[in-house]
Amino acid sequence: MNASRTFRAPGRVNLIGEHTDYNLGFVLPIALNLATYIETSPSPDGRLRLFSEQHRDHRAFVISEIPSLPRSKHWTDYVIGVARELMARGIRIEPLSLNIRSEVPEGSGLSSSAALEVASAFALLQGRQLERLEIARLCQRAEIDFVGMPCGIMDQFVSVFGREHAAIEIDCRSLEYKTVEIPEDVAIIAVNSMVKHELGASAYRNRVEECAIAVDAIRRRFPGVHSLRDANPAQVEKTPMPRLVMRRARHVVTENARVELFVHAAARGDLSRMGELFVESHRSMQHDYEITCDEVDFLVDSAVGIRGCYGARMTGGGFGGCTVNLVAPEETDRFQDSIRSLYKERFRIDPAIFRCVPAAGAAEIRNPALSGAGLSSDAHEK
Ligand code: GLA
């Protein structure tokens, strides 16, 4: 009998609906076939032991001290933040060793942090039941309150609730979701710019604040508006507010509408319209929300000129990371070769490129060897 267990939580690619989640709007992510795996075993010394294969780094924590630990600005904050949230709910943290391995590239806009948080929650729970929505929310709280990033709910939600073969459309106000089938005759290709510009976290915080300023202004004129989710483009135009704040609000309001339009286009199998909406979303992020950068703009501009590409946009928080591209399946090899050589020629960077396959949300893995977790000595466990 082997006492080790393995838990998996996926990264995500957001198809459309960027920076709409903390404005209580809609998002349309897919959980990815790239995931974080945590193998747990009893800790030999009564402490919580964390080992990251990626960082080749080992840390140990006295469990009773976890609630009073300060943030350390270290990768362990994601795990400790989740442990604190669980403890605050009265859930006991057992003395475990956590061996963490992630396939989700950091800084790529594919939510490596949410994958780590959600995998940590499942690992620390050790199969004890907690509502899946509660898991997503406590992981989000860990990131906001402990890691210090004022994020929305999308990444943790989709890491928990992701589905095979489908995207999920999340209503970030009601926290209800529905699955959305993506037409079979299109491949979803992520192209990693391999850059992540440093202003990310502070710029994210600024955007959150600018949206709050916009809501205050709009509400003075239209009292029914409590978040940008409630506002329409005409209300944004008619409200006096600083030009910059107006552009931020316009991105969110139009992006929200694009999610619905995209879902309808996907239901009709209208690939050209889906592609157009991708490009509109990117332009809105580029010019109104101002969260793109030269590298991802170049990737999008190049992609839309390649045969078989219906549309492209940056995905995730911004300032680098990945673009997501809708490509005719028979053209994917040529698309990859073309975009790679154009990007290499322009920036001297070799982009990582991969096909995104919608995968299931977080769970314990019963047979890590077969599932590709590739961690474990308990390959024979049923
Ligand atoms: C980051 C945040 C999410 C979301 C996206 C932008 O990934 O964690 O909550 O706001 O940026 O859509």
Side-chain angles (χ1 to χ4, degrees):
M1 232 291 285
N2 190 324
S4 79
R5 301 172 75 165
T6 301
F7 302 85
R8 167 191 172 278
R12 62 103 186 93
V13 66
N14 188 24
L15 293 184
I16 197 159
E18 219 66 80
H19 289 260
T20 45
D21 60 353
Y22 54 83
N23 288 298
L24 306 187
F26 297 100
V27 291
L28 187 70
I30 58 180
L32 280 181
N33 43 334
L34 300 178
T36 295
Y37 296 90
I38 301 187
E39 183 185 30
T40 66
S41 52
S43 158
D45 64 3
R47 293 185 294 173
L48 179 66
R49 305 181 69 87
L50 309 180
F51 176 69
S52 160
E53 290 192 7
Q54 249 162 315
H55 297 269
R56 310 293 321 155
D57 187 31
H58 204 167
R59 303 280 166 127
F61 299 87
V62 175
I63 290 169
S64 60
E65 290 173 1
I66 288 176
S68 53
L69 287 176
R71 170 190 314 165
S72 65
K73 299 201 165 157
H74 188 252
W75 65 267
T76 53
D77 281 351
Y78 297 98
V79 189
I80 295 302
V82 169
R84 287 163 59 101
E85 289 292 334
L86 290 170
M87 290 170 96
R89 283 187 101 269
I91 293 166
R92 205 168 54 81
I93 300 297
E94 293 167 21
L96 294 167
S97 292
L98 271 53
N99 187 41
I100 302 165
R101 184 175 72 84
S102 187
E103 303 164 337
V104 190
E106 282 181 17
S108 60
L110 301 179
S111 263
S112 58
S113 35
L116 176 54
E117 288 153 7
V118 173
S120 300
F122 275 75
L124 294 170
L125 279 166
Q126 291 285 294
R128 285 170 292 180
Q129 290 306 309
L130 192 59
E131 276 210 26
R132 291 177 84 83
L133 181 57
E134 182 55 26
I135 296 178
R137 295 178 84 148
L138 74 82
C139 288
Q140 181 200 15
R141 278 202 303 276
E143 181 142 353
I144 296 175
D145 294 341
F146 196 63
V147 178
M149 164 78 180
C151 64
I153 187 77
M154 165 168 69
D155 305 345
Q156 294 82 4
F157 194 107
V158 67
S159 187
V160 169
F161 287 101
R163 289 293 177 88
E164 276 185 342
H165 312 298
I168 64 171
E169 183 188 12
I170 309 167
D171 176 337
C172 297
R173 182 166 61 191
S174 68
L175 298 183
E176 284 164 355
Y177 73 99
K178 63 178 192 202
T179 56
V180 174
E181 306 280 331
I182 301 302
E184 277 178 10
D185 49 347
V186 69
I188 301 167
I189 308 285
V191 179
N192 192 345
S193 68
M194 316 300 275
V195 300
K196 183 76 193 169
H197 295 291
E198 271 316 311
L199 61 173
S202 66
Y204 190 97
R205 189 179 299 279
N206 289 342
R207 298 303 180 277
V208 173
E209 286 164 9
E210 288 157 359
C211 289
I213 296 170
V215 171
D216 280 348
I218 300 168
R219 192 173 39 219
R220 260 178 254 129
R221 196 159 264 226
F222 303 98
V225 172
H226 298 286
S227 66
L228 288 179
R229 155 70 175 271
D230 303 320
N232 60 44
Q235 291 170 326
V236 172
E237 297 286 337
K238 281 184 195 144
T239 302
M241 58 179 127
R243 178 90 193 142
L244 179 109
V245 173
M246 190 284 290
R247 287 196 283 117
R248 303 300 191 239
R250 184 166 65 189
H251 164 73
V252 174
V253 170
T254 58
E255 181 76 354
N256 229 3
R258 279 188 288 272
V259 177
E260 290 296 289
L261 293 169
F262 187 91
V263 168
H264 290 131
R268 297 194 303 272
D270 186 345
L271 298 172
S272 327
R273 182 70 185 125
M274 291 162 68
E276 269 170 27
L277 289 162
F278 259 38
V279 177
E280 283 173 26
S281 167
H282 187 82
R283 299 300 172 217
S284 180
M285 292 190 286
Q286 181 178 2
H287 302 302
D288 274 353
Y289 224 56
E290 295 181 290
I291 50 166
T292 66
C293 59
D294 288 349
E295 292 86 348
V296 295
D297 291 339
F298 179 86
L299 283 174
V300 167
D301 294 343
S302 307
V304 295
I306 299 172
R307 197 176 74 211
C309 178
Y310 295 101
R313 58 181 290 280
M314 184 190 74
T315 185
F319 305 101
C322 286
T323 60
V324 54
N325 302 262
L326 297 177
V327 181
E330 65 281 8
E331 299 285 358
T332 52
D333 288 347
R334 233 176 37 85
F335 173 81
Q336 296 192 30
D337 292 346
S338 306
I339 196 88
R340 183 187 305 284
S341 65
L342 288 166
Y343 192 64
K344 263 171 115 168
E345 193 181 316
R346 171 74 176 76
F347 289 102
R348 313 243 160 272
I349 300 173
D350 193 7
I353 304 179
F354 52 91
R355 189 166 178 161
C356 303
V357 179
E364 180 165 11
I365 298 214
R366 297 294 172 183
N367 195 334
L370 288 184
S371 70
L375 279 174
S376 189
S377 46
D378 63 350
H380 303 296
E381 197 186 24
K382 282 242 170 56

